[in-house]
């Protein structure tokens, strides 16, 4: 079994595209800010990312790291991955979640993409809530490399447990921008 895992990891690493590009972006919604740093997210192969998300109305925040694998299929980039996220929702259910999920980005032109992604951590993959859900989707435009501009919609919510209420941490439209190297 260890040999199979090693061979699979080796094949995935070898089939990874070119050198891993790095990037950073910021998104601003009506009541939230999201900062993201990623490596390899725009090319086929292994990627890593981290983010910090804060609700500017009530101080709720999350922060995490993730890793996954991208697969380019024609004009679409498919990805699957997992994250480790700290939850600080200010409702007495601070803790960690380990959501799994994926996404898709489709190139409409050389500079315009539509994208969507979703992650979920059911009861067994977190320690303070019954369920953690996040979703993000939108349109990105790269007017000139290395700059990308985005508009989209982001949602993050938790289902409480042990008598704690269900609540939405983030829900709304955003504009953003970033650079990649």
């Amino acid at each position: 079994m260890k040999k199979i895992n090693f061979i699979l990891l080796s094949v995935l690493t070898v089939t990874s595209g070119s050198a891993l590009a790095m990037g950073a972006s910021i998104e601003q919604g009506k009541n939230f800010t999201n900062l993201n740093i990623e490596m390899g997210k725009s090319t086929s192969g292994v990627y890593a990312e981290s983010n910090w998300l804060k609700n500017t109305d009530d101080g709720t925040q999350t922060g995490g790291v993730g890793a996954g694998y991208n697969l380019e299929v024609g004009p679409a980039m498919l990805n699957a991955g997992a994250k480790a996220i700290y939850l600080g929702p200010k409702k007495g259910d601070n803790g960690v979640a380990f959501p799994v999920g994926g996404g898709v980005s489709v190139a409409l032109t050389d500079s315009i993409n539509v994208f969507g992604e979703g992650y979920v951590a059911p009861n067994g993959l977190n320690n303070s809530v019954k369920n953690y859900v996040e979703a993000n989707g939108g349109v990105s435009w790269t007017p000139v490399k290395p700059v990308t501009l985005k508009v989209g919609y982001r949602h993050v919510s938790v289902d409480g447990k042990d008598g704690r209420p269900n609540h939405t941490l983030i829900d709304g439209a955003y504009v953003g921008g970033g650079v990649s190297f």
Side-chain angles (χ1 to χ4, degrees), residues 6 13 16 31 49 53 62 70 86 90 92 104 109 111 139-140 142 145-147 160 163 175 179:
F6 177 74
T13 303
S16 294
N31 64 352
E49 65 181 336
L53 179 64
T62 68
N70 288 327
Y86 165 76
K90 305 278 186 181
V104 62
T109 69
S111 63
V139 177
S140 68
T142 305
K145 294 209 183 234
V147 176
V175 295
V179 295

Short mmCIF file of all heavy atoms in Angstrom, two decimals, residues 6 13 16 31 49 53 62 70 86 90 92 104 109 111 139-140 142 145-147 160 163 175 179:
data_model
loop_
_atom_site.label_atom_id
_atom_site.label_comp_id
_atom_site.label_asym_id
_atom_site.label_seq_id
_atom_site.Cartn_x
_atom_site.Cartn_y
_atom_site.Cartn_z
N PHE A 6 3.08 6.05 -2.79
CA PHE A 6 4.28 6.74 -3.25
C PHE A 6 4.26 6.90 -4.77
O PHE A 6 4.55 7.97 -5.29
CB PHE A 6 5.55 5.99 -2.81
CG PHE A 6 6.81 6.62 -3.31
CD1 PHE A 6 7.29 7.79 -2.74
CD2 PHE A 6 7.51 6.06 -4.38
CE1 PHE A 6 8.44 8.39 -3.21
CE2 PHE A 6 8.65 6.66 -4.86
CZ PHE A 6 9.13 7.82 -4.28
N THR A 13 2.90 14.48 -9.02
CA THR A 13 3.91 15.52 -8.98
C THR A 13 4.57 15.69 -10.34
O THR A 13 4.77 16.81 -10.80
CB THR A 13 4.98 15.21 -7.91
OG1 THR A 13 4.32 15.07 -6.65
CG2 THR A 13 6.01 16.31 -7.83
N SER A 16 2.41 17.42 -12.82
CA SER A 16 2.15 18.83 -12.53
C SER A 16 2.73 19.66 -13.65
O SER A 16 3.78 19.35 -14.19
CB SER A 16 2.80 19.24 -11.20
OG SER A 16 2.20 18.57 -10.14
N ASN A 31 -19.59 43.72 3.91
CA ASN A 31 -19.25 43.54 5.33
C ASN A 31 -18.17 42.48 5.56
O ASN A 31 -18.13 41.88 6.62
CB ASN A 31 -20.51 43.19 6.13
CG ASN A 31 -21.11 41.86 5.69
OD1 ASN A 31 -20.68 41.26 4.71
ND2 ASN A 31 -22.09 41.39 6.44
N GLU A 49 -2.67 26.83 -0.76
CA GLU A 49 -3.24 28.16 -0.57
C GLU A 49 -3.47 28.43 0.92
O GLU A 49 -3.52 27.50 1.72
CB GLU A 49 -4.54 28.32 -1.35
CG GLU A 49 -5.67 27.42 -0.87
CD GLU A 49 -6.93 27.60 -1.68
OE1 GLU A 49 -7.14 28.66 -2.28
OE2 GLU A 49 -7.73 26.66 -1.71
N LEU A 53 -10.24 35.47 6.42
CA LEU A 53 -11.53 36.06 6.07
C LEU A 53 -12.12 36.69 7.33
O LEU A 53 -12.20 36.03 8.37
CB LEU A 53 -12.45 34.95 5.55
CG LEU A 53 -13.87 35.27 5.15
CD1 LEU A 53 -13.89 36.23 3.96
CD2 LEU A 53 -14.59 33.99 4.77
N THR A 62 -12.21 33.69 10.02
CA THR A 62 -11.67 32.36 9.79
C THR A 62 -10.29 32.53 9.17
O THR A 62 -10.00 33.55 8.55
CB THR A 62 -12.54 31.51 8.83
OG1 THR A 62 -12.48 32.07 7.52
CG2 THR A 62 -13.98 31.43 9.29
N ASN A 70 -4.98 20.31 -9.28
CA ASN A 70 -5.66 20.87 -10.44
C ASN A 70 -5.50 19.95 -11.63
O ASN A 70 -4.43 19.36 -11.83
CB ASN A 70 -5.05 22.22 -10.83
CG ASN A 70 -5.37 23.31 -9.87
OD1 ASN A 70 -6.43 23.34 -9.27
ND2 ASN A 70 -4.45 24.25 -9.72
N TYR A 86 -9.36 27.52 10.96
CA TYR A 86 -9.70 27.98 12.30
C TYR A 86 -10.99 28.79 12.19
O TYR A 86 -11.10 29.67 11.35
CB TYR A 86 -8.59 28.84 12.90
CG TYR A 86 -9.07 29.61 14.10
CD1 TYR A 86 -9.25 28.98 15.32
CD2 TYR A 86 -9.40 30.97 14.01
CE1 TYR A 86 -9.73 29.67 16.42
CE2 TYR A 86 -9.87 31.67 15.10
CZ TYR A 86 -10.04 31.01 16.31
OH TYR A 86 -10.52 31.69 17.38
N LYS A 90 -17.42 34.00 17.09
CA LYS A 90 -17.94 34.85 18.18
C LYS A 90 -19.29 34.37 18.73
O LYS A 90 -20.04 35.15 19.26
CB LYS A 90 -18.07 36.30 17.73
CG LYS A 90 -16.83 36.92 17.17
CD LYS A 90 -15.93 37.39 18.27
CE LYS A 90 -14.76 38.14 17.69
NZ LYS A 90 -13.84 38.60 18.63
N GLY A 92 -19.39 31.35 20.60
CA GLY A 92 -19.07 30.31 21.55
C GLY A 92 -18.70 28.99 20.93
O GLY A 92 -18.54 28.01 21.64
N VAL A 104 -14.23 24.59 -10.18
CA VAL A 104 -13.99 24.62 -11.62
C VAL A 104 -13.82 26.07 -12.05
O VAL A 104 -14.46 26.97 -11.50
CB VAL A 104 -15.14 23.94 -12.40
CG1 VAL A 104 -16.45 24.66 -12.19
CG2 VAL A 104 -14.82 23.81 -13.87
N THR A 109 -12.57 33.48 -22.60
CA THR A 109 -11.63 34.08 -23.55
C THR A 109 -10.25 33.95 -22.93
O THR A 109 -10.10 33.37 -21.85
CB THR A 109 -11.95 35.57 -23.82
OG1 THR A 109 -11.66 36.32 -22.64
CG2 THR A 109 -13.40 35.78 -24.23
N SER A 111 -8.72 36.23 -21.47
CA SER A 111 -8.62 37.06 -20.27
C SER A 111 -9.82 36.97 -19.33
O SER A 111 -9.77 37.50 -18.23
CB SER A 111 -8.39 38.52 -20.67
OG SER A 111 -9.49 39.00 -21.39
N VAL A 139 -16.71 35.90 -11.68
CA VAL A 139 -16.05 36.12 -12.95
C VAL A 139 -14.73 36.84 -12.69
O VAL A 139 -14.68 37.76 -11.86
CB VAL A 139 -16.93 37.00 -13.88
CG1 VAL A 139 -16.23 37.29 -15.19
CG2 VAL A 139 -18.27 36.34 -14.11
N SER A 140 -13.68 36.41 -13.39
CA SER A 140 -12.39 37.11 -13.26
C SER A 140 -11.95 37.61 -14.63
O SER A 140 -12.27 37.03 -15.66
CB SER A 140 -11.33 36.19 -12.66
OG SER A 140 -11.00 35.14 -13.55
N THR A 142 -8.42 39.29 -16.55
CA THR A 142 -6.99 39.60 -16.51
C THR A 142 -6.69 40.59 -17.64
O THR A 142 -6.41 40.18 -18.77
CB THR A 142 -6.14 38.32 -16.65
OG1 THR A 142 -6.55 37.39 -15.66
CG2 THR A 142 -4.66 38.61 -16.49
N LYS A 145 -1.30 40.78 -17.72
CA LYS A 145 -0.61 39.93 -16.75
C LYS A 145 0.37 40.78 -16.00
O LYS A 145 1.02 41.61 -16.62
CB LYS A 145 0.08 38.78 -17.47
CG LYS A 145 -0.92 37.85 -18.10
CD LYS A 145 -0.40 36.46 -18.19
CE LYS A 145 -1.42 35.61 -18.91
NZ LYS A 145 -1.86 34.47 -18.27
N PRO A 146 0.50 40.69 -14.75
CA PRO A 146 0.07 39.70 -13.79
C PRO A 146 -1.19 40.08 -13.00
O PRO A 146 -1.48 39.47 -11.99
CB PRO A 146 1.26 39.62 -12.84
CG PRO A 146 1.74 41.04 -12.76
CD PRO A 146 1.50 41.60 -14.15
N VAL A 147 -1.96 41.09 -13.43
CA VAL A 147 -3.10 41.60 -12.66
C VAL A 147 -4.40 40.88 -13.05
O VAL A 147 -4.68 40.69 -14.23
CB VAL A 147 -3.27 43.12 -12.90
CG1 VAL A 147 -4.50 43.65 -12.19
CG2 VAL A 147 -2.03 43.86 -12.45
N GLY A 160 -24.70 25.03 14.22
CA GLY A 160 -24.25 24.89 15.60
C GLY A 160 -24.56 23.52 16.18
O GLY A 160 -25.38 22.77 15.66
N GLY A 163 -26.59 23.02 21.46
CA GLY A 163 -27.44 24.16 21.79
C GLY A 163 -27.02 25.47 21.18
O GLY A 163 -27.69 26.49 21.39
N VAL A 175 -15.93 42.53 -4.69
CA VAL A 175 -15.02 42.89 -5.79
C VAL A 175 -13.62 42.61 -5.27
O VAL A 175 -13.37 42.70 -4.06
CB VAL A 175 -15.16 44.36 -6.24
CG1 VAL A 175 -16.52 44.61 -6.84
CG2 VAL A 175 -14.88 45.32 -5.12
N VAL A 179 -2.51 39.78 -7.91
CA VAL A 179 -1.36 39.66 -8.80
C VAL A 179 -0.80 38.25 -8.69
O VAL A 179 -0.93 37.59 -7.67
CB VAL A 179 -0.26 40.69 -8.47
CG1 VAL A 179 -0.73 42.10 -8.72
CG2 VAL A 179 0.22 40.54 -7.04
#
